[in-house]
Amino acid sequence: MSRAVILVIDGLGIGAMPDAAALRPGDAAAHTLGHVLDAANGAPRLPAFAALGLGLLHPHESLDHPILPGAAAGRSALGYPGADTFAGHQTMMGTDMSGTALARFADHLDTVASALRSAGHEARALDGLPVLLVDGHAVVGDNLEADPGLSWNVSARLDDLPFGEILAIARTVRGVAPTARVIAVGGHSTGPLLRSVRSGADGTAGLDTPASGFYVNDGLEVAHLGVQIDHTRQLPSRAAAAGIPVTLVGKAADIIVCPDAVRRPAVETAEVLKETFTALTRTACALVVANVQETDLAGHQQDAHRYASLLQEIDAGLSPLLDAMRPGDHLIVTGDHGNDPTIGHPFHTREFVPVLSHAPASPSRPRALPDATSLSNIALTAARALGLPS
């Protein structure tokens, strides 16, 4: 009987990948963790991250604390194009996302508009921007928070359209979209939604979701419609099929498909960490996959001080998780991409991510691991910990 926890710190990069400058030359200097720690007001104390070996990857006074026996720390390349939360999580659950296509909405606007009209919707392009307004309320365009071409958003105020109608529009868009992900977003804005529509990088345009107020007002609803994936072969479904209780926490509950999983969606970091601890300690055998999203939001807001504060909050939440681990358990703390708040733009950054691994039963000395080529190695590690076949 064993338990495995995968805790994803959304947007926690640890240095630019070799091809990071292909889209934006300045991204060659990206280092989310290093720049956040350096920009903080004083060195934040991160003893739990240090105990997991993060200081082996990036020596810093914030991480100058003892390392646990059995801790291992390494970096991983992403294993998919660009820098994207959806593709990152699918890769870490064991799906090969290396062939994902990049597609700007402007290049497919007419096709999408035709499909929506055929489905009975009213769709018109906004003046001067490659963005569609659907049924007078829903904005369809590029996801401005991701690298150009990785995903499209279908967004509307829940005061104007129920989420079921937003999702129906998104499903029609998904039917003709070559991009990896179409995201349905419903929320409550601080003003008319069209005020937050703007142009982005490299010919993109869409809703500026942070500016809309969706993230700070209660009631946000999100559904991620991805490319066709055989979810039965992913880690959560394989664990569930073996009789292992599966819990998906935070953003992981939105973007990972496992019909048998318990879902605990949440945005606030404290709630994500609380639900992760509860899921770990509820049963003698478990798989818990959790995503801390607020770090990614701080990256998009280019707020390094907020990011540093969140790392301290996460560190405090890691301590009870570490205390609850017993022989046979396995904890993996990682990221899905970078989001350097100091790099000069609000987009994800294509960085290596840390992979911090702790197995309490291991008598080995703390060690640094060689770079992994893909986040898919996380699924393999967790499967072995749970006794699932490779």
Side-chain angles (χ1 to χ4, degrees):
M1 303 292 283
S2 59
R3 303 173 297 180
V5 178
I6 301 171
L7 181 65
V8 183
I9 313 302
D10 206 314
L12 183 60
I14 197 162
M17 288 178 57
D19 59 354
L23 181 61
R24 289 178 292 268
D27 284 8
H31 196 304
T32 301
L33 176 66
H35 291 159
V36 165
L37 294 182
D38 290 344
N41 292 321
R45 293 187 68 256
L46 302 175
F49 277 113
L52 290 168
L54 185 56
L56 296 173
L57 307 178
H58 182 70
H60 191 276
E61 59 182 314
S62 296
L63 300 166
D64 188 16
H65 301 275
I67 305 175
L68 288 169
R75 301 189 312 172
S76 178
L78 301 182
Y80 64 87
D84 177 59
T85 296
F86 177 82
H89 282 70
Q90 305 311 317
T91 302
M92 78 178 70
M93 294 301 104
T95 296
D96 182 3
M97 299 292 288
S98 60
T100 302
L102 301 179
R104 294 181 310 165
F105 186 72
D107 297 330
H108 301 270
L109 184 148
D110 291 341
T111 300
V112 174
S114 178
L116 287 166
R117 291 169 187 141
S118 295
H121 298 283
E122 174 189 309
R124 67 174 181 86
L126 296 183
D127 293 340
L129 288 174
V131 173
L132 288 175
L133 183 65
V134 181
D135 297 338
H137 298 295
V139 174
V140 185
D142 293 292
N143 176 5
L144 300 184
E145 298 171 76
D147 280 333
L150 271 176
S151 55
W152 300 345
N153 281 12
V154 177
S155 310
R157 302 193 322 162
L158 294 173
D159 298 321
D160 299 324
L161 289 177
F163 189 67
E165 292 186 25
I166 301 170
L167 188 56
I169 295 169
R171 286 176 174 147
T172 298
V173 175
R174 170 74 274 174
V176 295
T179 190
R181 183 169 45 142
V182 173
I183 310 170
V185 186
H188 298 284
S189 70
T190 52
L193 206 58
L194 293 185
R195 288 184 185 173
S196 300
V197 174
R198 63 172 178 81
S199 58
D202 300 318
T204 60
L207 179 71
D208 184 338
T209 308
S212 73
F214 279 8
Y215 290 145
V216 296
N217 294 312
D218 292 336
L220 179 69
E221 294 194 57
V222 180
H224 298 257
L225 309 181
V227 294
Q228 189 169 7
I229 291 171
D230 184 356
H231 297 285
T232 65
R233 297 176 64 86
Q234 292 188 317
L235 175 65
S237 292
R238 292 174 59 212
I244 298 170
V246 177
T247 305
L248 305 175
V249 183
K251 197 172 182 179
D254 297 327
I255 57 182
I256 296 174
V257 174
C258 179
D260 296 318
V262 174
R263 296 180 180 277
R264 295 288 184 260
V267 175
E268 291 187 1
T269 298
E271 185 177 356
V272 170
L273 295 168
K274 177 183 176 182
E275 291 289 351
T276 302
F277 179 82
T278 299
L280 171 67
T281 56
R282 184 183 294 119
T283 58
C285 184
L287 170 65
V288 184
V289 184
N291 173 285
V292 177
Q293 183 182 4
E294 285 192 300
T295 44
D296 190 50
L297 300 181
H300 288 308
Q301 293 158 359
Q302 302 179 70
D303 190 341
H305 298 293
R306 172 66 173 149
Y307 203 126
S309 175
L310 287 164
L311 287 180
Q312 288 187 285
E313 184 176 357
I314 295 164
D315 192 271
L318 277 171
S319 292
L321 279 177
L322 289 171
D323 291 341
M325 301 292 286
R326 63 187 185 207
D329 292 346
H330 205 110
L331 171 65
I332 300 170
V333 178
T334 188
D336 48 355
H337 50 72
N339 198 340
D340 189 334
T342 72
I343 205 69
H345 61 71
F347 302 111
H348 294 162
T349 42
R350 184 164 168 79
E351 298 180 53
F352 290 97
V353 296
V355 181
L356 312 177
S357 180
H358 178 53
S362 173
S364 63
R365 294 169 59 87
R367 65 198 191 280
L369 302 174
D371 289 348
T373 59
S374 171
L375 287 169
S376 61
N377 286 329
I378 290 173
L380 295 175
T381 301
R384 284 194 296 266
L386 294 169
L388 300 174
S390 299

